[in-house]
Amino acid sequence: MILREYFSLFLQNLIEITKQIHATMKKQILLFLALIMSMMVTAQVTIQMEKEGGVYKVPCIVNGVKMKFIFDTGAATVSMSQTMAQFLLDGDYLSESDIKGIGQSQLADGSIVNHAIINLRDIEIGGMHIHNIEATVIEGQNAPLLLGQSAISELGRISIEGNKLIIHSSDKKLSQQQIAKLEDQANRYINAESYSAAIECFIQIDESKGLSENGLEQLCSAFLMDNQYDNCIQYCKRWLKEFEEKGDLYNKEMIYNSLALSYRYGFEDYTSALIWYQKDLDILNSPGFCHYYDEEEGLFDRLVASLNSSIGDCYYQNSNYFQAEKFYKQAIKSQCKSLNVNMEEILQGKMQDERLGYYMYDYAFCFYKQKHNVDGDEVMKLAALCGNQDAIDFCRKYNINYQTKSSKLFE
């Protein structure tokens, strides 16, 4: 629960900070990793990816045919064009029994299209073989070849260093005692903000016996805090594949939040971030979910406020100021609820709250962007009354008297 609160209250503005590990901690890490290396024999396969048109392509052999796939950790499945699928079928690289049926996909613009679902019996990547991988066949001749999570998740642990795809493997199991020590050490590293070291611990556990829901959630969080956005997305997608039907709502909400943050801060993909933020908000709004946060008064409403503000930020970045306005307003209402304060008390200058002022400051700029300057000034006054220094400076610069009564925007 501490980790979740840390995410929502601090990660919004601090996601891009760099973290330094003290010399003593570095020494502990080196000693610990040396111990692990003595217990396990590890191997890895390195694949040189080719960069074309701003994307990386991985050479593969599919059912005996050489291809180059775009390596896409954000795609759910392997996909190819109708032309390529027909080539495989005509050349007997694909049989009629490999055609599994028809499905539907949602495009970036929200439209729904039909696609065929096929089974790829063998994909060879860097000498490794994965079998019976589900793929989608997209309408059109120019649909790209995408290597998505239906294949990537079968490779085991991977990492990306520039244009190199590294597939890691392990050939020795750890004892329960060794795993317990790794789990304890990982938690210590997280508490010390040594996220890369914690990641190494979780990876060792994963290679030995696989991670629990909680372990995968912690690993995704560590990737996120270490700015390893590609790896965070990869493991979040794997978690969803393995646990979506039976997963605990609290852990699922964490994963949705991690995906949203990865797309938002890692790739400035605000449209994808919105999809995952909305899924996150749907869980928070589900019946009874607030009971996860009963131990601290006001925490749940602060989380709802933070999430609505994040959604507002994404709409704002996409220049949809009308939608951003609605979510910022909801963030303000939820934050006021968490503080048990009403608008009259704010107007009287009785409430100094940094986050409330921050939400109001953003809300004001939605009005300015839509040329509703009078309403923008009224909200900016409220942000200043809450103690937001940016709002105070803005009011002083443009001679806005924030000590006067404001309009009824929040009634």
Side-chain angles (χ1 to χ4, degrees):
M1 196 65 67
I2 294 174
L3 180 61
R4 181 68 182 90
E5 181 179 6
Y6 180 75
F7 253 18
S8 294
L9 299 183
F10 298 100
L11 191 56
Q12 299 295 330
N13 302 314
L14 303 179
I15 192 72
E16 296 177 357
I17 64 172
T18 55
K19 307 166 185 71
Q20 298 180 345
I21 303 174
H22 298 297
T24 54
M25 183 62 71
K26 287 183 178 178
K27 184 176 179 181
Q28 292 177 9
I29 294 171
L30 292 173
L31 289 173
F32 177 70
L33 294 180
L35 174 62
I36 295 298
M37 291 300 293
S38 69
M39 293 190 297
M40 300 184 67
V41 179
T42 60
Q44 65 184 34
V45 175
T46 301
I47 300 170
Q48 196 83 13
M49 297 189 291
E50 301 175 13
K51 191 171 185 179
E52 296 180 13
V55 297
Y56 285 110
K57 292 188 175 182
V58 179
C60 304
I61 301 176
V62 178
N63 291 355
V65 179
K66 291 184 178 180
M67 300 182 183
K68 293 180 182 179
F69 281 82
I70 295 173
F71 191 80
D72 187 355
T73 56
T77 66
V78 174
S79 65
M80 64 179 61
S81 67
Q82 284 181 330
T83 303
M84 179 57 71
Q86 190 64 50
F87 169 80
L88 293 175
L89 189 62
D90 292 342
D92 293 329
Y93 299 106
L94 194 69
S95 68
E96 291 186 4
S97 63
D98 290 321
I99 302 174
K100 299 302 181 182
I102 300 295
Q104 289 187 322
S105 301
Q106 183 173 11
L107 302 181
D109 63 3
S111 61
I112 303 296
V113 297
N114 292 326
H115 63 245
I117 302 172
I118 62 174
N119 175 62
L120 301 178
R121 295 188 301 276
D122 179 77
I123 301 178
E124 180 182 348
I125 304 174
M128 298 180 62
H129 291 264
I130 52 179
H131 303 286
N132 298 319
I133 302 301
E134 182 179 291
T136 58
V137 179
I138 306 299
E139 293 181 357
Q141 297 181 356
N142 299 320
L145 292 169
L146 298 180
L147 192 72
Q149 285 298 327
S150 60
I152 294 172
S153 61
E154 298 295 324
L155 296 175
R157 180 168 74 98
I158 67 169
S159 58
I160 298 173
E161 297 180 4
N163 65 340
K164 294 180 179 179
L165 171 65
I166 302 173
I167 304 173
H168 306 264
S169 61
S170 172
D171 61 3
K172 185 175 181 180
K173 298 293 184 181
L174 296 175
S175 68
Q176 286 299 116
Q177 184 178 12
Q178 290 169 333
I179 289 173
K181 288 182 178 179
L182 280 170
E183 290 173 341
D184 180 67
Q185 191 67 54
N187 288 325
R188 290 177 183 272
Y189 283 136
I190 287 175
N191 291 335
E193 298 185 2
S194 300
Y195 301 108
S196 59
I199 288 167
E200 289 294 333
C201 296
F202 286 125
I203 293 301
Q204 299 288 355
I205 298 170
D206 191 34
E207 290 177 340
S208 178
K209 74 175 185 68
L211 289 169
S212 64
E213 291 183 36
N214 186 60
L216 271 172
E217 175 262 304
Q218 287 183 296
L219 176 58
C220 291
S221 299
F223 276 133
L224 186 62
M225 297 303 295
D226 204 43
N227 298 343
Q228 297 187 38
Y229 301 109
D230 267 331
N231 287 329
C232 182
I233 290 172
Q234 176 204 343
Y235 276 85
C236 282
K237 296 283 189 177
R238 173 185 150 187
W239 186 94
L240 290 176
K241 179 181 178 181
E242 294 184 9
F243 296 110
E244 186 145 31
E245 292 300 321
K246 62 178 181 179
D248 182 272
L249 279 180
Y250 173 76
N251 282 334
K252 189 180 294 185
E253 188 265 335
M254 287 286 291
I255 294 298
Y256 289 161
N257 194 262
S258 296
L259 281 165
L261 290 167
S262 293
Y263 281 112
R264 177 182 176 184
Y265 291 103
F267 304 100
E268 296 184 357
D269 182 352
Y270 302 108
T271 300
S272 295
L274 274 169
I275 292 171
W276 296 107
Y277 273 137
Q278 190 59 60
K279 288 178 178 287
D280 190 356
L281 186 60
D282 289 344
I283 288 183
L284 260 64
N285 288 333
S286 62
F289 189 79
C290 60
H291 295 311
Y292 281 95
Y293 301 91
D294 281 346
E295 75 278 5
E296 182 176 335
E297 184 178 357
L299 173 58
F300 178 74
D301 291 312
R302 292 201 302 273
L303 297 179
V304 173
S306 179
L307 185 53
N308 275 284
S309 174
S310 294
I311 294 174
D313 290 342
C314 290
Y315 276 119
Y316 190 95
Q317 291 295 333
N318 281 343
S319 301
N320 190 339
Y321 306 116
F322 179 74
Q323 283 293 102
E325 175 190 324
K326 294 196 299 184
F327 283 95
Y328 284 140
K329 185 173 183 179
Q330 187 56 52
I332 292 166
K333 288 183 175 180
S334 295
Q335 188 71 6
C336 286
K337 184 179 177 183
S338 77
L339 298 167
N340 194 25
V341 62
N342 58 43
M343 200 54 57
E344 185 63 32
E345 291 171 303
I346 294 174
L347 289 169
Q348 293 172 5
K350 295 180 179 180
M351 174 49 61
Q352 298 282 302
D353 182 74
E354 181 179 356
R355 297 201 67 80
L356 182 58
Y358 170 78
Y359 299 151
M360 288 182 171
Y361 182 77
D362 288 339
Y363 184 39
F365 273 95
C366 289
F367 289 113
Y368 292 138
K369 286 289 186 179
Q370 297 175 88
K371 309 301 182 184
H372 301 159
N373 293 344
V374 173
D375 287 340
D377 288 349
E378 296 302 314
V379 179
M380 191 63 73
K381 293 177 186 179
L382 294 174
L385 286 170
C386 289
N388 182 281
Q389 190 59 50
D390 289 333
I392 292 172
D393 294 341
F394 185 94
C395 289
R396 288 172 177 171
K397 180 177 179 179
Y398 294 101
N399 298 317
I400 300 172
N401 183 3
Y402 61 89
Q403 300 296 341
T404 61
K405 284 279 185 177
S406 188
S407 66
K408 300 181 179 181
L409 287 171
F410 294 94
E411 291 186 358

